């Protein structure tokens, strides 16, 4: 099954450009005009570039075979899909919360169009915006609060930012990272003391510690998102969460842990 998933994903990667698959099969926010429920599955098999697909498929090949030996191919496939779907649900759930927060700040400005409320909208949603006002403009607006041009520009800005966040065909989420993080979580639970050695971290580290540290990093990166960070950190955490739940539900049925 690991081999089949690897081949299917690689084939789709080379087809997604010529057949323009991403605008329809990537995962878009629940409130987006582009959202279709089947995207919770199809986004798993799309990727954003060679580096993206290489890292995910490398992880699949590295951790997947041992899990497939424990569960068998059918259960491994179920696990892969459920953790991928779960990651998408968590990611879109966070998106939904962010959109609600964004719309609330937008409504505050639309009801009371001041430079202060416009600045609040910008600062509270900074990592979601495709553009920003300069401090020079905000200073001019603050000094001339009744200027109709400034007010209308601000209204157009907040509406456009929400629409671009929801309905930009280039902002769909793609990748098997959520499923991969689910696989990593399962590996750490079933083989906690297996030592891993990575090229970028040439010191042996037990699987349970590696996955724990990676999870902490993803949580920190999701909370303290930097400008230009387009990684779906909460999707990764969602995959880990669903992976943890599935392993606990299924049980290990094993006496030895490596």
């Amino acid at each position: 099954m690991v081999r089949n998933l690897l081949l299917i994903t690689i084939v789709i990667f080379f087809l997604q450009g010529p057949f323009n698959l991403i605008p329809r099969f990537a995962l878009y926010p629940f409130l987006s005009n582009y959202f279709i429920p089947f995207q919770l599955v199809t986004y798993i098999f799309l990727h954003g570039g060679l580096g993206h697909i290489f890292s995910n498929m490398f992880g699949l090949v590295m951790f997947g075979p041992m899990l497939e030996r424990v569960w068998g191919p059918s259960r491994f496939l179920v696990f892969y899909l459920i953790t991928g779907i779960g990651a998408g649900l968590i990611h879109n759930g966070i998106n939904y919360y962010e959109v609600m927060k964004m719309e609330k700040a937008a409504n505050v400005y639309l009801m009371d169009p001041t430079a202060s409320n416009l600045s609040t909208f910008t600062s509270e949603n900074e990592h979601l915006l495709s553009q920003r006002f300069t401090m020079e403009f905000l200073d001019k607006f603050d000094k001339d609060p009744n200027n109709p041009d400034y007010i209308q520009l601000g209204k157009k800005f907040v509406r456009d930012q929400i629409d671009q966040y929801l309905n930009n065909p280039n902002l769909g989420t793609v990748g098997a990272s959520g499923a991969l993080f689910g696989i990593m979580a399962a590996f750490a639970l079933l083989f906690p003391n297996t030592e891993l050695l990575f090229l970028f971290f040439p010191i042996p580290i037990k699987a349970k510690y590696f996955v724990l540290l990676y999870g902490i990093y993803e949580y920190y990166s999701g909370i303290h998102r930097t400008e230009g960070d387009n990684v779906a950190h909460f999707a990764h955490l969602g995959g880990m969460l669903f992976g943890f739940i599935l392993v606990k539900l299924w049980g290990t049925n094993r006496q030895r842990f490596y």
Side-chain angles (χ1 to χ4, degrees), residues 6-240:
L6 178 67
L7 292 174
I8 290 169
T9 304
I10 291 173
V11 169
I12 291 175
F13 176 75
F14 286 105
L15 293 178
Q16 67 185 34
F19 289 92
N20 198 28
L21 299 179
I22 287 182
R24 181 169 177 79
F25 296 103
L27 178 62
Y28 291 91
F30 289 135
L31 298 177
S32 172
N33 294 330
Y34 291 100
F35 175 71
I36 307 172
F38 65 66
Q39 293 170 353
L40 287 164
V41 174
T42 57
Y43 90 100
I44 300 169
F45 297 93
L46 301 171
H47 286 83
L50 284 173
H52 190 203
I53 189 173
F54 176 81
S55 61
N56 282 343
M57 294 302 98
F58 179 79
L60 174 63
V61 171
M62 182 175 179
F63 296 106
M66 290 184 71
L67 297 178
E68 186 176 349
R69 292 191 191 104
V70 174
W71 293 328
S74 297
R75 179 163 284 198
F76 181 81
L77 176 62
V78 169
F79 182 89
Y80 188 80
L81 293 176
I82 289 179
T83 52
I85 292 169
L89 289 171
I90 296 295
H91 175 69
N92 267 20
I94 297 295
N95 277 349
Y96 182 83
Y97 167 77
E98 291 181 330
V99 170
M100 292 296 99
K101 181 181 174 183
M102 195 177 186
E103 288 188 339
K104 182 179 179 180
N107 288 332
V108 169
Y109 172 77
L110 294 174
M111 294 175 63
D112 183 18
T114 65
S116 176
N117 287 336
L118 184 58
S119 179
T120 298
F121 172 85
T122 301
S123 61
E124 288 184 352
N125 302 282
E126 187 171 8
H127 63 286
L128 306 178
L129 305 181
S130 60
Q131 62 187 77
R132 296 164 184 79
F133 282 113
T134 64
M135 289 303 299
E136 181 182 3
F137 171 81
L138 292 173
D139 287 341
K140 289 180 179 179
F141 191 0
D142 190 47
K143 293 175 182 178
D144 188 9
N146 296 317
N147 188 311
D149 291 334
Y150 294 162
I151 292 173
Q152 290 305 313
L153 188 60
K155 288 182 177 180
K156 184 177 185 304
F157 172 79
V158 298
R159 292 190 183 109
D160 286 349
Q161 290 304 304
I162 294 174
D163 182 66
Q164 288 181 34
Y165 181 67
L166 288 176
N167 298 312
N168 187 334
N170 297 317
L171 294 182
T173 299
V174 296
S177 301
L180 174 60
F181 272 77
I183 288 172
M184 289 167 54
F187 189 93
L189 289 169
L190 296 177
F191 308 100
N193 296 315
T194 299
E195 291 191 338
L196 307 174
L197 184 66
F198 299 95
L199 291 175
F200 58 86
F201 189 75
I203 301 174
I205 181 172
K206 291 184 177 180
K208 58 186 177 182
Y209 299 130
F210 169 74
V211 173
L212 177 62
L213 291 173
Y214 210 158
I216 292 172
Y217 166 77
E218 289 295 328
Y219 179 76
Y220 177 84
S221 299
I223 295 296
H224 302 278
R225 211 172 327 178
T226 58
E227 184 176 349
D229 183 359
N230 61 354
V231 176
H233 297 289
F234 285 105
H236 297 171
L237 293 172
M240 295 182 79

